Amino acid sequence: MAGVGSRLCVRRVPTTAAARPLARQPSRSLHLLFGACGIPHPSKVAKGGEDAFFCDEAKGTFGVADGVGGSASAFVDPGEFSRALLRSCDERLDGSCEALRAVLAGTAQRLREAPVAGSSTLLVGQLEPEGATLRLLNIGDCGAMLLRPAARRFRAGGTVAWPRVVLRTAEQTHYFNCPYQLDGEMEQAADADEVRATARVGDVLLVATDGVLDNLFDSALQMEVARRVPQLQAADEAAAREAVDALAAAIGEAAAATGAREDEEGLPTPFAAAAAQEGYTFHGGKRDDVAVLAGVVRAGAAASGAAAAARKPRVRRLLLVR
């Protein structure tokens, strides 16, 4: 069902095998193809923004982090902390079934040994190559959705391959607009939510910072996916890769465009709706850094060797290069 501030406008598609609910699948090797988009706040372009992400197709691992602006000062760049946090998680997530909390504990030890000032929200995860389990660990107000396209009939628009929500993380806040966050002491690491779901071939994963989720309703994200289901599920992996890249870019650009419409009365956004529930008045978009990962679940093992090496620099650029 379309949410507040959105209109169902998806292309009518035939009910193909790709669009039907999938039968229970036996355990088999799966992998993720990733697309990524990062757009810094206009005032933070020179330093690369304060959001960061990583994704590694060979390991099936990924993460986003949002350096908390409240920790900024003349001597502290929250973006440095978010990148350091994700860099450590990236190195420790080796694609095995190691618990995500153990990865976080290792990261805490590293930050104690080599302190970095600042604080950040964090969401990391991995798709286990055997067994199809998607694991997520979240602290703060980043978010992830696992979507499963399946045929659904709408009163207006006919039958479409609609990406229903299989899993959606919940934001953690102390009070309005104050998310749980990690700093060098990592004291709130114990409060992280760890969730999991069984992934299937054709599922779509979206992972984003609040620069996306404060500006775009979940239904709008679902519609962006719905427009691209045939391409995302294409048998040709190159076509699927092009589609997942386009999906990440479309979501990132839509979030940035909505955020730029600050103070616009009558523009519904998730942040404005949440503010109203708390008794605050807020109009229009919320300008912020934007980081989003889009992934599509594919059958078989991930690419290795030259193919994986060629992909890795592009999907890691925002994390490692200012």
Side-chain angles (χ1 to χ4, degrees):
M1 181 179 296
V4 178
S6 61
R7 186 193 318 172
L8 180 65
C9 183
V10 294
R11 184 172 51 186
R12 187 167 183 164
V13 298
T15 306
T16 63
R20 298 188 191 108
L22 299 176
R24 185 177 180 86
Q25 297 178 335
S27 175
R28 58 171 167 164
S29 182
L30 300 176
H31 68 282
L32 279 162
L33 291 185
F34 283 110
C37 179
I39 304 174
H41 186 289
S43 69
K44 304 173 186 176
V45 171
K47 68 174 185 176
E50 294 170 352
D51 285 3
F53 68 77
F54 77 89
C55 47
D56 191 317
E57 292 180 351
K59 298 190 297 183
T61 59
F62 53 89
V64 296
D66 177 4
V68 176
S71 66
S73 71
F75 306 102
V76 176
D77 176 5
E80 292 285 357
F81 185 85
S82 66
R83 286 186 283 270
L85 184 65
L86 279 191
R87 186 176 293 110
S88 179
C89 291
D90 180 25
E91 292 171 356
R92 283 164 172 75
L93 280 167
D94 60 5
S96 69
C97 295
E98 182 182 4
L100 293 173
R101 289 188 186 275
V103 170
L104 207 55
T107 293
Q109 180 61 34
R110 175 168 177 172
L111 289 173
R112 283 191 290 269
E113 295 169 353
V116 179
S119 63
S120 178
T121 61
L122 174 71
L123 192 154
V124 293
Q126 65 178 25
L127 176 64
E128 294 179 1
E130 304 294 337
T133 300
L134 177 72
R135 301 179 186 274
L136 302 169
L137 185 144
N138 179 55
I139 186 156
D141 57 1
C142 294
M145 302 173 69
L146 182 67
L147 303 172
R148 184 160 296 156
R152 188 186 190 286
R153 181 179 298 171
F154 289 88
R155 183 177 179 182
T159 299
V160 300
W162 182 252
R164 58 186 172 86
V165 178
V166 175
L167 178 150
R168 172 66 159 91
T169 58
E171 69 173 28
Q172 299 174 310
T173 56
H174 297 287
Y175 49 86
F176 176 66
N177 204 30
C178 181
Y180 288 21
Q181 54 201 264
L182 299 172
D183 59 15
E185 298 299 321
M186 301 289 280
E187 292 176 350
Q188 283 207 286
D191 296 323
D193 291 335
E194 190 169 4
V195 295
R196 67 185 67 183
T198 300
R200 295 181 181 176
V201 173
D203 284 356
V204 177
L205 174 68
L206 300 178
V207 184
T209 59
D210 67 340
V212 173
L213 304 176
D214 282 343
N215 287 300
L216 300 179
F217 288 95
D218 286 1
S219 56
L221 301 178
Q222 289 172 276
M223 283 188 281
E224 289 291 351
V225 174
R227 294 185 180 103
R228 297 170 175 82
V229 167
Q231 294 79 17
L232 290 166
Q233 296 185 344
D236 177 35
E237 187 149 304
R241 186 181 296 286
E242 182 177 345
V244 79
D245 281 338
L247 174 61
I251 291 172
E253 290 165 5
T258 300
R261 296 167 67 182
E262 296 176 294
D263 302 320
E264 182 176 323
E265 294 191 24
L267 175 66
T269 63
F271 189 82
Q277 288 181 339
E278 296 280 346
Y280 297 104
T281 299
F282 184 91
H283 297 294
K286 179 173 175 281
R287 180 163 276 178
D288 201 352
D289 298 311
V290 166
V292 57
L293 302 175
V296 60
V297 179
R298 307 279 293 183
S304 59
R311 179 67 173 168
K312 188 176 292 185
R314 184 158 69 95
V315 299
R316 292 189 179 209
R317 183 175 300 145
L318 190 65
L319 169 61
L320 299 178
V321 178
R322 290 188 58 168

